[in-house]
Amino acid sequence: MPTEDSTRNRLIQAGIRLFGEHGYKVTTTRMLADEAQANIGSIAYYFDNKHGLYLAAARYIAGALRERLDIHEPITVPDDRETARATLEAIVRRMVRTFATDTECRHWLLMVMREQLHPSEAFDILQNQAFGVVQATLSHLIARLTGRAADDPVTALETHTLVGQIVFFLIAREPLLRRLSLETFDTDTLATIEDLVVSHLSLYDARHDDRR
């Protein structure tokens, strides 16, 4: 007999898959229940309705992303640049490995991309509970390295550019694998990707030197 938690989780996972593949409007409660192998009434029981399940799916993605990146709230930035740089590098390497190799992240992608194109209440959840937390953490570390304020528009652009480099290994994963004649990223390739992205952090040293 399935537990309540397992039924609820199956519905969320079904929602992530179906909302991503078909969109919110096309996905029906019957489709969701069948995909989750659950009674259709369980959607109302756990989430009130389809919209409630959609928002729960967004909350799940936000929470799981924070867990994988081990970023739960904007950190207290180290006073010295060397420690700040080491902290930023550790986060960047964790992000690269998560987005390049985590199978579940690929399952989230379609739903997240739909929200990027047509933001809804679910996007607010993703932004406030995950994306914004990650962006704020990176921005404060980059600000320490460059000497700019964390809320400086240039810092925001630096942060967005860094995240874009990393996320592209998720979004454009298949074209790169084919170009490299790989089925998945092996250990050596993954290490090379990490090192390449980390090497770009030296740009922030240059930004700091220019301001002195």
Side-chain angles (χ1 to χ4, degrees), residues 96-156:
V96 168
R97 287 190 174 272
T98 297
F99 291 125
T101 66
D102 195 301
T103 302
E104 194 174 8
C105 282
R106 298 201 291 275
H107 294 162
W108 305 337
L109 182 59
L110 286 177
M111 181 173 166
V112 171
M113 291 300 295
R114 285 181 181 276
E115 283 297 321
Q116 293 277 354
L117 293 171
H118 303 288
S120 71
E121 186 180 353
F123 181 79
D124 293 335
I125 291 171
L126 293 169
Q127 177 64 27
N128 295 334
Q129 298 184 17
F131 304 154
V133 178
V134 174
Q135 290 161 350
T137 298
L138 296 175
S139 290
H140 279 85
L141 289 167
I142 290 171
R144 175 69 75 211
L145 297 179
T146 61
R148 294 193 181 92
D151 59 356
D152 188 307
V154 176
T155 303

Side-chain angles (χ1 to χ4, degrees), residues 12-179:
I12 288 174
Q13 298 304 323
I16 291 171
R17 290 191 295 272
L18 295 181
F19 291 133
E21 183 175 351
H22 302 292
Y24 178 80
K25 290 184 178 179
V26 173
T27 301
T28 65
T29 52
R30 172 53 64 189
M31 291 167 62
L32 291 162
D34 288 348
E35 178 74 9
Q37 297 183 332
N39 187 296
I40 194 169
S42 60
I43 295 175
Y45 177 76
Y46 291 111
F47 310 103
D48 290 336
N49 49 37
K50 182 176 80 169
H51 183 64
L53 174 52
Y54 188 68
L55 298 184
R59 292 189 190 94
Y60 175 88
I61 293 172
L65 182 59
R66 291 197 313 271
E67 286 294 327
R68 280 163 170 74
L69 301 184
D70 195 22
I71 299 176
H72 303 283
E73 58 185 25
I75 64 171
T76 300
V77 179
D79 290 331
D80 64 289
R81 297 183 71 256
E82 184 177 343
T83 304
R85 170 65 184 271
T87 302
L88 179 60
E89 179 175 330
I91 292 173
V92 165
R93 289 186 181 278
R94 198 153 57 239
M95 290 176 70
V96 168
R97 287 190 174 272
T98 297
F99 291 125
T101 66
D102 195 301
T103 302
E104 194 174 8
C105 282
R106 298 201 291 275
H107 294 162
W108 305 337
L109 182 59
L110 286 177
M111 181 173 166
V112 171
M113 291 300 295
R114 285 181 181 276
E115 283 297 321
Q116 293 277 354
L117 293 171
H118 303 288
S120 71
E121 186 180 353
F123 181 79
D124 293 335
I125 291 171
L126 293 169
Q127 177 64 27
N128 295 334
Q129 298 184 17
F131 304 154
V133 178
V134 174
Q135 290 161 350
T137 298
L138 296 175
S139 290
H140 279 85
L141 289 167
I142 290 171
R144 175 69 75 211
L145 297 179
T146 61
R148 294 193 181 92
D151 59 356
D152 188 307
V154 176
T155 303
L157 292 172
E158 297 265 26
T159 302
H160 203 73
T161 301
L162 175 61
V163 173
Q165 291 180 59
I166 300 170
V167 172
F168 203 63
F169 289 102
L170 170 62
I171 296 173
R173 182 176 185 273
E174 289 307 316
L176 179 58
L177 287 172
R178 294 193 183 195
R179 186 173 183 183

Side-chain angles (χ1 to χ4, degrees), residues 188-199:
D188 290 342
T189 302
L190 188 59
T192 301
I193 293 171
E194 282 188 43
D195 291 342
L196 283 170
V197 176
V198 166
S199 73

